[in-house]
Amino acid sequence: MADQERAQGRSARGQGRLEVQDLDVRIDTDAGSLAVVDALSLALTQGQTVALVGESGCGKSITALALMRLLPEGGRVVGGQVKLDGQDLLALPEARMRPLRGRRIGMIFQEPATSLDPVMTVGEQVVEAIERHLPLHGAAARERARQWLRRVELPEGAFERYPFTLSGGQKQRAMIAMVLATEPDYLLADEPTTALDVTVQAQIMELLRELQREQGLGLLLITHDLALVSGFAQQVALMYAGQLVELAPAEAFFHAPAHPYAQALLRALPDARRRDEPLAAIAGSVPGLSERLPGCRFKSRCPHAMPVCGEPVPLFRPGKGRQVRCVLYAPGAVPPSPGDTAAALQPSSAQRALKGVPPAAGSVPLLQVKNLSVGFPVRKGLLRRVVGHVEAVRELSFDMRPGRTLALVGESGSGKTTTGKAIVQLLRRQARVRGQALLEGVDLFALEGDALREARAQAQIVFQDPFGSLNPRLRVAELLEEGLQALLPQLGAEQRRERVQALARQVGLPADALQRWPHEFSGGQRQRIAIARALAVAPKLLVCDEPTSALDVSVQAQILNLLRELQQQLGLAYLFITHNIGVVGYLAHEVAVMQGGRIVEMGPAEQVLQEPRHEYTKSLLAAVPRLVVRQTADGPK
Ligand code: SF4
């Protein structure tokens, strides 16, 4: 039956089209039926990439799930069509839809753990997918599976391993292998490389490019990484609050974005050229599903909003080579140039005041790390005796000065996070830490008791994933007060309350946030809470472990501005662990590149980024996607 299905309606390789017309998706909740995707239309041609971009909560992932007819409980498509080579998928009985999933349209989900079966080896799962969709069985299917595991750069032996033995990035690659091994014509890839190191990301994207050339793979790339999009996609579809607001060829989009939201997004991206000025953050956040008012959904954040934007919803107007949902593109209107939006998004005077404050380059070091080595114990036997140590960090030495940012870059497993955790005293029990970390001359590793508690207030950490670090049983106000009470007991209740309210405002939390629970917030808002909590005790040194990698571009800009502002005001030193070279270029004064637990190159940020000397630094930087702005004759009309 499956083979028959495949034979029917399948276009010649590379000539098909997946068309979405006026797609409306709703989710039924206790509060009523909420529109999550509104009148969305786009077309995916084989061999081409359409990037679906926009902030969290805009409806990107739901759109992909709707195309696959895999909406979560309560979700339903209430209008529109999804045509695969002319056949409406939404009208097919489930029995006819099932074989199309995987074989004609594959999907890579954001969270690999949910897509891999924990009781089957990785190899068995890839073989199962191949045998279900391709005329290959037994040894031939196994050989094909091994080939795919190699193509996604998984180590030898991955075939026989269970998912729980793999790292997050390896699981993601296993899932990519499983989906690609069935040779789909279209791939819906939801943040496919977010969990991967840049060098592996570059390999996976090259693999996808190869499949586009060889097999005409049509790719719907859902991502928040605009640099990745600029170098890869032919079309960009920008979503905002459930609606497409701009659909344009990638060159035109990046050269001259038309919608004010698109213009603001690109202005909010950090890079080295903007390092002397605050980023143009977009105020506010995407309206929630129940907060969507009539008219333009971007109006509360738009620098060009006017009464006519209040209602009705602006039409999605076709222009020359692109479509834009904005009254400024109505016939006769004069659309804004990106420069107009840049001017309207100028930072506040307080933010502007940051510019020009010289960092304290020549000051006495705040922190001196000398010959830091961190070894994790290897245990054996019934008594779990320690028989040796695996060195995760070896002989690291560097200085950090007040008001300066040292970026630690390198791939997963290079020892960046271990270094940060060791400095903030989080590895005392789990690892053997040797060397010294002198904070204002006092060796943190030698402290005990009250002295250690005091030192902990001086050096705080913000993690990439705030989910695990926020106590779910405390309201936000209590979370922020908790650290204050423990580490700054001299503050009275009123001072604590004022400080907590000021912190919430500083990190952009809504007014009612303090009385809410952590689970009520989005990932980005939880990260703001985590940053506020770390800052509450007025540390001198902040270890930031990928603090903005889970955030949307506009929120990232707000957080980076906030971190810069605090650094300038308070002379904070940041040890900034990141893989985002744009952030490094924007924020860092010095860069240390780590590989295999050692620093292989260290120097002023400009020098390391512009003229890397070590071969590893060169290959790392070469793999980083850059925002490609190509000249085009097709500006906004
Ligand atoms: Fe801004 Fe009005 Fe255009 Fe919406 S319709 S993006 S509020 S100018």
Side-chain angles (χ1 to χ4, degrees):
M1 177 64 191
D3 286 345
Q4 208 183 342
E5 281 292 344
R6 285 199 298 274
Q8 288 171 0
R10 180 161 190 167
S11 61
R13 279 279 187 198
Q15 295 174 11
R17 201 168 152 85
L18 182 65
E19 269 185 282
V20 185
Q21 293 169 352
D22 294 323
L23 183 71
D24 286 326
V25 182
R26 288 183 162 266
I27 292 207
D28 297 325
T29 69
D30 293 343
S33 176
L34 304 172
V36 284
V37 178
D38 260 0
L40 183 138
S41 298
L42 55 83
L44 183 59
T45 311
Q46 278 193 262
Q48 300 277 302
T49 298
V50 175
L52 193 55
V53 299
E55 292 175 276
S56 310
C58 282
K60 307 185 301 289
S61 298
I62 284 285
T63 299
L65 291 169
L67 305 194
M68 293 293 270
R69 291 183 32 183
L70 289 175
L71 284 171
E73 204 181 325
R76 61 199 162 92
V77 175
V78 294
Q81 293 182 314
V82 178
K83 288 188 175 171
L84 178 63
D85 302 335
Q87 183 178 41
D88 186 6
L89 297 182
L90 301 180
L92 286 181
E94 176 58 23
R96 292 185 60 199
M97 179 69 200
R98 205 172 298 129
L100 299 181
R101 281 190 211 110
R103 180 63 185 107
R104 299 292 319 277
I105 311 174
M107 181 159 180
I108 297 171
F109 294 91
Q110 224 177 94
E111 182 41 73
T114 56
S115 311
L116 294 171
D117 188 334
V119 298
M120 285 174 78
T121 65
V122 167
E124 284 167 351
Q125 296 185 55
V126 183
V127 169
E128 189 187 53
I130 290 171
E131 290 185 334
R132 190 183 315 135
H133 292 292
L134 297 178
L136 285 177
H137 297 276
R142 281 198 298 282
E143 181 47 35
R144 180 68 64 89
R146 287 186 192 281
Q147 284 170 5
W148 274 102
L149 293 176
R150 280 196 291 274
R151 284 189 90 171
V152 296
E153 307 284 333
L154 277 170
E156 282 303 318
F159 188 99
E160 285 80 19
R161 288 170 63 179
Y162 287 91
F164 75 87
T165 67
L166 303 180
S167 69
Q170 288 174 327
K171 278 188 209 140
Q172 184 73 346
R173 280 181 271 166
M175 191 175 65
I176 291 170
M178 195 166 82
V179 173
L180 293 179
T182 64
E183 299 176 9
D185 296 328
Y186 302 94
L187 180 65
L188 315 182
D190 192 354
E191 301 282 4
T193 57
T194 302
L196 305 179
D197 283 320
V198 283
T199 50
V200 180
Q201 170 177 275
Q203 286 155 1
I204 296 289
M205 295 313 289
E206 188 48 42
L207 174 63
L208 292 174
R209 217 190 286 271
E210 242 174 76
L211 293 174
Q212 293 199 303
R213 279 195 301 267
E214 291 169 9
Q215 302 174 13
L217 179 75
L219 177 63
L220 184 69
L221 178 65
I222 297 172
T223 181
H224 66 277
D225 187 341
L226 291 171
L228 184 69
V229 170
S230 74
F232 200 83
Q234 283 77 40
Q235 284 261 320
V236 179
L238 176 64
M239 281 189 89
Y240 189 81
Q243 296 173 327
L244 274 190
V245 294
E246 182 160 351
L247 180 63
E251 291 93 334
F253 182 86
F254 287 104
H255 174 59
H259 195 279
Y261 176 51
Q263 295 173 357
L265 265 188
L266 292 179
R267 291 274 313 159
L269 286 175
D271 74 29
R273 286 163 301 175
R274 295 185 177 141
R275 63 176 293 131
D276 288 334
E277 58 189 63
L279 293 169
I282 313 174
S285 52
V286 182
L289 291 175
S290 55
E291 300 161 358
R292 291 178 186 170
L293 300 170
C296 173
R297 292 177 181 172
F298 187 58
K299 63 179 178 288
S300 64
R301 308 172 80 187
C302 179
H304 307 291
M306 50 192 141
V308 69
C309 308
E311 59 184 331
V313 173
L315 297 174
F316 199 39
R317 293 176 197 281
K320 200 173 174 186
R322 69 171 90 197
Q323 286 176 277
V324 186
R325 189 186 296 281
C326 173
V327 296
L328 294 168
Y329 293 82
V334 181
S337 70
D340 296 338
T341 300
L345 287 170
Q346 275 310 305
S348 67
S349 55
Q351 288 174 326
R352 272 198 300 276
L354 299 179
K355 187 175 174 178
V357 179
S363 53
V364 177
L366 171 73
L367 179 78
Q368 290 174 289
V369 174
K370 295 184 177 178
N371 301 321
L372 173 66
S373 292
V374 184
F376 289 95
V378 179
R379 297 177 191 276
K380 275 203 174 148
L382 267 182
L383 298 175
R384 311 294 298 148
R385 282 219 179 87
V386 176
V387 294
H389 284 83
V390 178
E391 294 286 302
V393 168
R394 301 154 199 242
E395 299 286 319
L396 241 57
S397 296
F398 57 85
D399 288 355
M400 293 188 63
R401 291 167 200 280
R404 307 280 289 181
T405 299
L406 170 66
L408 269 190
V409 302
E411 293 177 282
S412 309
S414 60
K416 307 184 301 293
T417 295
T418 301
T419 303
K421 282 184 172 176
I423 289 169
V424 297
Q425 310 289 306
L426 288 179
L427 297 179
R428 283 196 161 216
R429 286 163 197 252
Q430 300 104 303
R432 184 184 67 188
V433 179
R434 290 180 299 180
Q436 289 181 309
L438 302 169
L439 187 72
E440 295 182 324
V442 178
D443 186 4
L444 295 174
F445 300 148
L447 296 177
E448 297 291 344
D450 285 348
L452 176 60
R453 255 195 305 282
E454 273 171 35
R456 279 195 160 133
Q458 305 290 307
Q460 290 281 299
I461 188 165
V462 175
F463 290 105
Q464 174 182 11
D465 173 18
F467 286 63
S469 57
L470 297 179
N471 184 341
R473 285 167 298 181
L474 295 182
R475 292 178 196 271
V476 172
E478 294 164 323
L479 278 167
L480 299 186
E481 278 198 39
E482 191 184 36
L484 283 175
Q485 273 169 331
L487 300 173
L488 294 180
Q490 67 274 24
L491 294 183
E494 188 55 32
Q495 282 173 302
R496 275 203 308 273
R497 228 182 343 269
E498 279 172 14
R499 194 175 174 90
V500 161
Q501 284 170 356
L503 279 163
R505 276 196 302 276
Q506 268 183 318
V507 298
L509 287 170
D512 62 346
L514 292 173
Q515 294 316 315
R516 288 159 62 191
W517 305 97
H519 73 262
E520 296 177 49
F521 293 90
S522 67
Q525 284 174 320
R526 275 186 238 208
Q527 189 61 298
R528 295 180 193 220
I529 298 168
I531 290 172
R533 199 176 59 154
L535 295 173
V537 292
K540 290 180 177 161
L541 168 70
L542 204 56
V543 175
C544 303
D545 190 357
E546 300 275 13
T548 61
S549 65
L551 304 182
D552 287 312
V553 167
S554 69
V555 182
Q556 171 178 269
Q558 292 167 14
I559 298 295
L560 293 179
N561 282 344
L562 173 67
L563 290 172
R564 276 176 62 116
E565 193 177 329
L566 291 162
Q567 184 170 61
Q568 301 284 8
Q569 285 171 358
L570 309 171
L572 286 171
Y574 296 140
L575 182 64
F576 211 94
I577 298 166
T578 182
H579 68 276
N580 187 329
I581 298 298
V583 172
V584 174
Y586 176 71
L587 207 62
H589 301 100
E590 284 88 32
V591 178
V593 183
M594 288 190 73
Q595 184 190 27
R598 296 183 193 277
I599 291 178
V600 295
E601 181 163 359
M602 182 159 59
E606 209 176 315
Q607 182 188 309
V608 175
L609 298 182
Q610 301 300 327
E611 296 163 28
R613 292 187 185 154
H614 195 279
E615 285 309 310
Y616 177 70
T617 313
K618 288 179 190 171
S619 65
L620 191 69
L621 293 176
V624 173
R626 310 279 166 138
L627 196 65
V628 181
V629 178
R630 284 161 289 203
Q631 293 299 316
T632 170
D634 182 25
K637 301 283 182 238

